[in-house]
Amino acid sequence: MKASAYLLHVTASPRAELSTSTAMGRALTEQITHKFRHLSVVERDIASHAPPMPSPQFAADNLLPLDSRSASAESDAYIEELEAAKALVISTPMHNFGVPAVLKAWIDQILRPQRTFARSSTGKQGLLADRPVFIIVTSGGPVTGPYAQQDFLTPYLEYVLPTIGLTNIQVIRLDSMLRSPEHTALQIEQCKAWIAGQVANLSDVS
């Protein structure tokens, strides 16, 4: 049974304990829960336990009224877990310039018409209550500078999460993590400073 008040940490790196993004995500959740003692952490490791890919029945259900859909235990569980979280931390690597497959699968499970967003004449309207969202992205190559690679991951997350109502988003990117140990250490120190600043500015998680 989940705690009554928790923040959700979704981690998408397949590198497990070797993952910088996961380590930084845990550092962030630890500092938030140290400041807000009523919170615990639920870590959803989607790299080790990948969400299911959308099935034909899942796709068909999304076209039906909500009360006419078949049961979808996995999707319902992911959505309910997110709904109950007081804050969301996503720590993820960039894979081939974009979203890791497991993270895309998780998003496909939680982005559901009439459940987490509604269609209207002015576009999609999020149905979830807003809450703080922190995204930590790592990439082996550069995303800025003269030899920058295209980052399709960050803009995608910054677009898709508001679709379900999550607009309070803070992002840090740690790039060129394969350049050298010295550069990696510098990126980690910068991320730690960013974490400290985010936690200091976080006034209410209730």
Side-chain angles (χ1 to χ4, degrees):
M1 180 178 294
K2 294 182 176 63
S4 57
Y6 64 88
L7 62 85
L8 176 62
H9 179 198
V10 176
T11 177
S13 175
R15 300 184 68 239
E17 299 304 316
L18 298 176
S19 166
T20 300
S21 63
T22 299
M24 291 297 96
R26 287 173 177 167
L28 174 57
T29 62
E30 287 169 5
Q31 290 196 33
I32 292 174
T33 54
H34 181 76
K35 181 174 181 177
F36 300 97
R37 298 302 181 97
H38 67 289
L39 292 178
S40 62
V41 178
V42 172
E43 185 170 289
R44 171 66 63 179
D45 182 357
I46 57 174
S48 297
H49 305 283
M53 300 299 289
S55 66
Q57 183 62 57
F58 183 90
D61 275 355
N62 280 337
L63 302 177
L64 298 174
L66 195 60
D67 58 3
S68 299
R69 296 177 184 178
S70 304
S72 180
E74 295 93 343
S75 177
D76 290 342
Y78 290 129
I79 292 171
E80 290 166 7
E81 182 176 68
L82 177 57
E83 279 182 314
K86 304 302 182 182
L88 172 64
V89 175
I90 298 176
S91 57
T92 179
M94 182 187 300
H95 282 175
N96 301 317
F97 318 115
V99 183
V102 292
L103 182 53
K104 180 60 167 64
W106 180 78
I107 290 169
D108 287 341
Q109 293 294 326
I110 65 168
L111 200 74
R112 303 201 69 185
Q114 302 177 66
R115 182 62 180 88
T116 55
F117 73 89
R119 297 186 177 97
S120 73
S121 59
T122 58
K124 295 180 175 64
Q125 304 294 323
L127 298 178
L128 299 191
D130 202 4
R131 68 213 66 196
V133 178
F134 304 94
I135 301 173
I136 299 174
V137 177
T138 58
S139 64
V143 294
T144 59
Y147 304 105
Q149 63 189 22
Q150 186 69 49
D151 174 10
F152 294 101
L153 189 161
T154 306
Y156 173 74
L157 293 179
E158 290 178 328
Y159 185 88
V160 75
L161 292 173
T163 300
I164 60 176
L166 306 183
T167 64
N168 183 9
I169 301 172
Q170 306 297 325
V171 182
I172 186 170
R173 299 185 302 186
L174 288 67
D175 73 336
S176 301
M177 298 298 283
L178 299 179
R179 180 188 299 177
S180 68
E182 294 77 16
H183 180 78
T184 297
L186 177 61
Q187 291 287 286
I188 290 173
E189 288 306 310
Q190 291 176 345
C191 187
K192 289 179 179 178
W194 177 84
I195 287 171
Q198 295 300 320
V199 175
N201 291 329
L202 194 59
S203 60
D204 184 32
V205 182
S206 58

